[in-house]
Amino acid sequence: MTKKQILILTLVGISFLSNLSSLFAQSSEWSESKRKKGIQVLTRPFPGSNLDEFLGRTEVDASIAQVITLLTDPASCKNLYHQCKELTVLSGTEKKSVVYLRNGAPWPVNDRDLIMDRSFEQNDKTLATVMKIKRLDSNARPTPSGVTRMENFEGVWRIIPQTNGKLKIEYQAHFEPGGSVPQSVINLVLTDTPYESLLNLKTLVEEGKHKDAKFDWIKEPTKN
């Protein structure tokens, strides 16, 4: 075997191992962190980050429009999103907007805030609806004194009609908080954020909050 052939085989082998490593990194298994009151919370490693991403799941008996209204109503901020202190729409429409969010944190950790893009999409066939949220590099709203702006945040809420007439709700996200945050606080956030938010959502649905909400751009599943 010539030196050239050996070099080619070596390069092919390195490429194969690199691709294999990348494949494993992208297909990390979810690990269950919590299951309580009809809510499941999973976490898994996130490529290129020291912080895991989380996924919360539950089911609610509600309309898609009701859930969307609860997720977007600024007045629902403190009653729905875990540790939420402020949710303000800065610009845009019902389907796509720029939003300011501020979350509280346990002492002595600073509150976190961010400006994010928020958009909705609905599948015409399955009627599954998603709310995508992603950090924007924007100064449309200055960071208050004593608050740390998050370095990154990307998440999605999925509203998926089920054959039993209910909606499966999934909240998946990964974030980089910026600044210094103890690992113990990070661990709490990874489980408490999806769990408490979904628990609050279930409670608000059961209370009938925004039960009659409707959107002309949302199609609801037919009730049997």
Side-chain angles (χ1 to χ4, degrees), residues 96-137:
K96 184 173 178 62
S97 55
V98 175
V99 181
Y100 174 81
L101 175 70
R102 175 174 173 175
N103 275 0
W107 186 88
V109 180
N110 286 348
D111 286 357
R112 258 49 182 186
D113 77 344
L114 75 155
I115 296 172
M116 59 187 183
D117 176 81
R118 183 177 70 189
S119 61
F120 286 92
E121 295 177 5
Q122 183 177 45
N123 185 289
D124 292 336
K125 294 181 179 180
T126 67
L127 303 187
T129 306
V130 297
M131 182 178 83
K132 297 179 180 179
I133 44 181
K134 185 174 183 178
R135 179 189 180 278
L136 287 176
D137 186 12

Side-chain angles (χ1 to χ4, degrees), residues 31-34 41-45 49-55 82-83 105-106 109 173 175 177 180-196:
S31 176
E32 186 174 270
S33 299
K34 191 169 189 175
V41 176
L42 306 160
T43 58
R44 70 177 178 183
S49 174
N50 294 324
L51 303 181
D52 289 352
E53 66 176 323
F54 64 71
L55 169 63
H82 183 55
Q83 299 282 17
V109 180
F175 64 92
S180 178
V181 182
Q183 188 60 46
S184 58
V185 173
I186 292 294
N187 292 338
L188 281 176
V189 170
L190 288 175
T191 54
D192 287 0
T193 296
Y195 177 78
E196 296 294 340

Side-chain angles (χ1 to χ4, degrees), residues 16-204:
F16 173 77
L17 290 174
S18 176
N19 291 335
L20 189 62
S21 174
S22 176
L23 177 63
F24 279 123
Q26 294 174 8
S27 60
S28 299
E29 294 290 334
W30 289 104
S31 176
E32 186 174 270
S33 299
K34 191 169 189 175
R35 184 190 289 267
K36 188 178 180 182
K37 296 185 178 180
I39 299 169
Q40 180 188 33
V41 176
L42 306 160
T43 58
R44 70 177 178 183
F46 189 85
S49 174
N50 294 324
L51 303 181
D52 289 352
E53 66 176 323
F54 64 71
L55 169 63
R57 294 172 173 159
T58 194
E59 285 192 357
V60 296
D61 188 2
S63 68
I64 297 174
Q66 181 183 11
V67 174
I68 289 176
T69 304
L70 287 171
L71 293 177
T72 58
D73 181 9
S76 294
C77 162
K78 297 178 182 179
N79 297 322
L80 194 154
Y81 295 106
H82 183 55
Q83 299 282 17
C84 182
K85 286 189 173 182
E86 181 183 349
L87 181 66
T88 302
V89 177
L90 301 179
S91 63
T93 63
E94 288 179 339
K95 291 186 67 175
K96 184 173 178 62
S97 55
V98 175
V99 181
Y100 174 81
L101 175 70
R102 175 174 173 175
N103 275 0
W107 186 88
V109 180
N110 286 348
D111 286 357
R112 258 49 182 186
D113 77 344
L114 75 155
I115 296 172
M116 59 187 183
D117 176 81
R118 183 177 70 189
S119 61
F120 286 92
E121 295 177 5
Q122 183 177 45
N123 185 289
D124 292 336
K125 294 181 179 180
T126 67
L127 303 187
T129 306
V130 297
M131 182 178 83
K132 297 179 180 179
I133 44 181
K134 185 174 183 178
R135 179 189 180 278
L136 287 176
D137 186 12
S138 168
N139 291 318
R141 177 79 174 267
T143 301
S145 176
V147 177
T148 299
R149 180 138 296 178
M150 296 182 69
E151 293 180 355
N152 195 26
F153 183 92
E154 187 168 0
V156 59
W157 283 82
R158 302 184 187 93
I159 308 168
I160 310 167
Q162 303 296 288
T163 56
N164 62 6
K166 294 186 177 182
L167 299 175
K168 179 197 286 187
I169 308 296
E170 294 186 342
Y171 177 26
Q172 180 178 346
H174 174 261
F175 64 92
E176 297 290 344
S180 178
V181 182
Q183 188 60 46
S184 58
V185 173
I186 292 294
N187 292 338
L188 281 176
V189 170
L190 288 175
T191 54
D192 287 0
T193 296
Y195 177 78
E196 296 294 340
S197 298
L198 288 170
L199 183 61
N200 291 338
L201 177 64
K202 286 168 67 75
T203 298
L204 291 171

